[in-house]
Amino acid sequence: MTGEPAGSNEALFARAQAVIPGGVNSPVRAFRAVGGTPYFVARGEGPYVWDVEGTRYVDLVQSYGAVIAGHAHPRIVEAVTRAAAEGTSFGAPTEREVLLAEAIAERVPSCEKVRLVSSGTEATMSAVRLARGATGRDAVVKFAGGYHGHGDALLAESGSGVALLDADESGTVPGSAGVPAGAVADTTIAAYNRVPRLDGRVACVIVEPIAANMGLVPPRPGFLAELRAECDRVGALLVFDEVITGFRVARGGAQELSGIRPDLSCFGKVIGGGLNIGAFGGRADLMDHLAPLGPVYQAGTLSGNPLATAAGLAALDLLDAAAYETLGDRAARFGRGLQDAFDAAGLTARALVAASLVGLHLGPDDPVDYETARRTDESAYASLFHALLRRGVALAPGAYEVLFPGLAHDDALLEAVVDQVAEAAAEVARGGWPRS
Ligand SMILES: *Cc1c(COP(=O)(O)O)cnc(C)c1O
């Protein structure tokens, strides 16, 4: 566009590594788990991204789920453009913050009140602080393989990119260097799909109601209801981390699907339409513990940013009942197609589907928790990833991420992807995988 040469991925990555640790601003982008050089995205449109060399990929990363309507959706572009022309940040309340909070509360009845923040990480950190402040208790329970952003107390035994770090490390608490033992002293780890026995010291249990950061691990029937009952037994709060599932798996998120009402919920990704946003909400009596009404402090210069609220409102507007039906139908068909492709290629792999989420597990059995999720063959994933990338299909460069087919991925496109997966899987199989 400027008339200058577009540059190459290699050249940009070399420059990036000189000034950005690992060349990336979020570790999962770095390709270290799959090998090779990351492609640098020049632009995206609908289901596609183009890298700086002009190569087009069918993008199943979709900003890890943040752009459910596809890239550069005209309605979202228009909303953001118009908002930008009116000013990008004020440090004073705006109407669209009210509209977005109302839109969330209307879709998710457990969220009587909502506070907007700037990322999913902020939402979960703030929700845990609020849970602690409101209950006067310190202990937090999370599930192994759950990812709740990179806040100190919640990094332990995390999925997503932390799982890849753990592969070389001991994998014990805390989940990162630089997190003092004291920061996780009150964090307890439980196994997903098993209900931990709680006691009266527990402020909250935080859970992904459909786990989507250790591959895809749906809750077994009864798990969330039993967790709700156990929390109630000891007066602990139940926090649903719906940063991925919120406004994606159903209009009211995973809590609508499961019928379980959490005390607090965390959102991000979809509700920003691809811009920086997060939110947490819940019972009004709990939310009113937040400053300025109560003693739990939480703040943010860019919270409820005018561009992000414009994009988020435009995204939610696109997500009517028909959209969720389409998303669910497509994901189901896509999952069946992927499973058939693996089976035909003779590869031991599972294509998992939960509502509109699709996950791959490169092993014989459906995972039920982190331990079983980690039985996925990471090197086979790397082979499959590259075999697909060569064919113009981009998965996330890590074995523990899910696939995000969205409104822009129509059936014809997903069928074409399935054909590419069939070829890629056969190629990986010819390479000798699975190894004994
Ligand atoms: C992505 C994610 C987060 C963190 O959100 P960021 O916006 O990346 O900080 C938290 N919880 C879950 C379940 C996520 O998938």
Side-chain angles (χ1 to χ4, degrees):
M1 269 174 283
T2 56
E4 288 167 19
S8 72
N9 294 316
E10 288 288 352
L12 267 178
F13 193 45
R15 280 169 55 195
Q17 285 173 291
V19 288
I20 302 171
V24 291
N25 285 312
S26 193
V28 290
R29 300 176 193 166
F31 273 42
R32 288 175 74 94
V34 293
T37 302
Y39 54 89
F40 278 66
V41 175
R43 68 183 191 91
E45 191 182 319
Y48 300 110
V49 293
W50 286 261
D51 71 10
V52 292
E53 298 175 5
T55 306
R56 188 186 79 174
Y57 301 98
V58 176
D59 178 36
L60 289 161
V61 184
Q62 297 285 302
S63 190
Y64 291 87
V67 287
I68 195 167
H71 298 292
H73 189 285
R75 296 261 296 276
I76 295 177
V77 171
E78 196 206 324
V80 173
T81 308
R82 191 180 302 171
E86 292 170 351
T88 52
S89 187
F90 304 111
T94 58
E95 183 182 13
R96 276 196 300 275
E97 294 170 75
V98 184
L99 295 176
L100 187 56
E102 286 173 349
I104 293 170
E106 194 253 311
R107 287 163 176 77
V108 187
S110 74
C111 291
E112 295 166 354
K113 288 193 178 180
V114 177
R115 183 157 279 180
L116 302 178
V117 293
S118 296
S119 70
T121 294
E122 257 188 271
T124 54
M125 279 169 38
S126 306
V128 167
R129 181 181 301 155
L130 174 58
R132 286 170 158 166
T135 59
R137 302 173 179 183
D138 290 340
V140 171
V141 177
K142 78 174 284 284
F143 293 89
Y147 179 67
H148 307 293
H150 65 94
D152 282 357
L154 299 175
L155 258 187
E157 294 274 339
S158 268
S160 189
V162 191
L164 303 167
L165 187 71
D166 281 352
D168 314 314
E169 312 282 334
S170 66
T172 52
V173 174
S176 162
V179 177
V184 290
D186 293 309
T187 304
T188 304
I189 314 291
Y192 198 79
N193 271 322
R194 268 174 277 171
V195 177
R197 190 166 173 81
L198 307 178
D199 62 33
R201 292 173 303 146
V202 176
C204 69
V205 176
I206 185 166
V207 64
E208 289 181 70
I210 299 170
N213 282 289
M214 47 173 153
L216 187 63
V217 179
R220 66 166 168 78
F223 172 57
L224 296 172
E226 291 162 31
L227 197 55
R228 174 76 270 180
E230 181 64 6
C231 285
D232 290 345
R233 190 180 65 78
V234 298
L237 302 180
L238 180 60
V239 182
F240 274 9
D241 181 348
E242 297 228 41
V243 171
I244 282 185
T245 53
F247 313 101
R248 171 174 294 277
V249 299
R251 195 165 182 275
Q255 52 197 278
E256 179 187 313
L257 290 183
S258 65
I260 302 304
R261 192 180 174 104
D263 301 291
L264 296 171
S265 302
C266 305
F267 303 104
K269 297 187 174 129
V270 170
I271 52 156
L275 273 86
N276 317 43
I277 208 164
F280 63 106
R283 278 170 29 211
D285 65 295
L286 291 173
M287 294 299 288
D288 286 349
H289 282 81
L290 288 172
L293 294 182
V296 179
Y297 198 71
Q298 183 280 325
T301 301
L302 295 179
S303 292
N305 174 264
L307 303 195
T309 51
L313 284 165
L316 290 185
D317 223 38
L318 296 168
L319 292 163
D320 55 13
Y324 287 109
E325 203 176 308
T326 302
L327 285 170
D329 288 350
R330 279 184 194 163
R333 251 194 306 277
F334 187 40
R336 282 195 300 272
L338 292 172
Q339 188 65 62
D340 289 346
F342 291 137
D343 293 347
L347 292 187
T348 311
R350 306 288 301 143
L352 304 150
V353 178
S356 53
L357 290 167
V358 177
L360 303 181
H361 178 80
L362 301 190
D365 302 312
D366 291 0
V368 296
D369 58 15
Y370 195 38
E371 190 189 328
T372 47
R374 301 223 30 182
R375 291 181 193 152
T376 199
D377 186 332
E378 290 179 16
S379 72
Y381 184 86
S383 303
L384 185 68
F385 170 86
H386 281 294
L388 281 170
L389 202 64
R390 282 194 294 278
R391 290 172 169 80
V393 176
L395 305 181
Y400 299 101
E401 312 296 343
V402 297
L403 283 57
F404 291 104
L407 293 176
H409 300 74
D410 63 22
D411 282 323
L413 182 69
L414 292 175
E415 271 170 40
V417 169
V418 164
D419 291 343
Q420 309 281 39
V421 170
E423 279 184 35
E427 187 180 304
V428 175
R430 279 198 302 277
W433 180 78
R435 296 171 304 280
S436 58

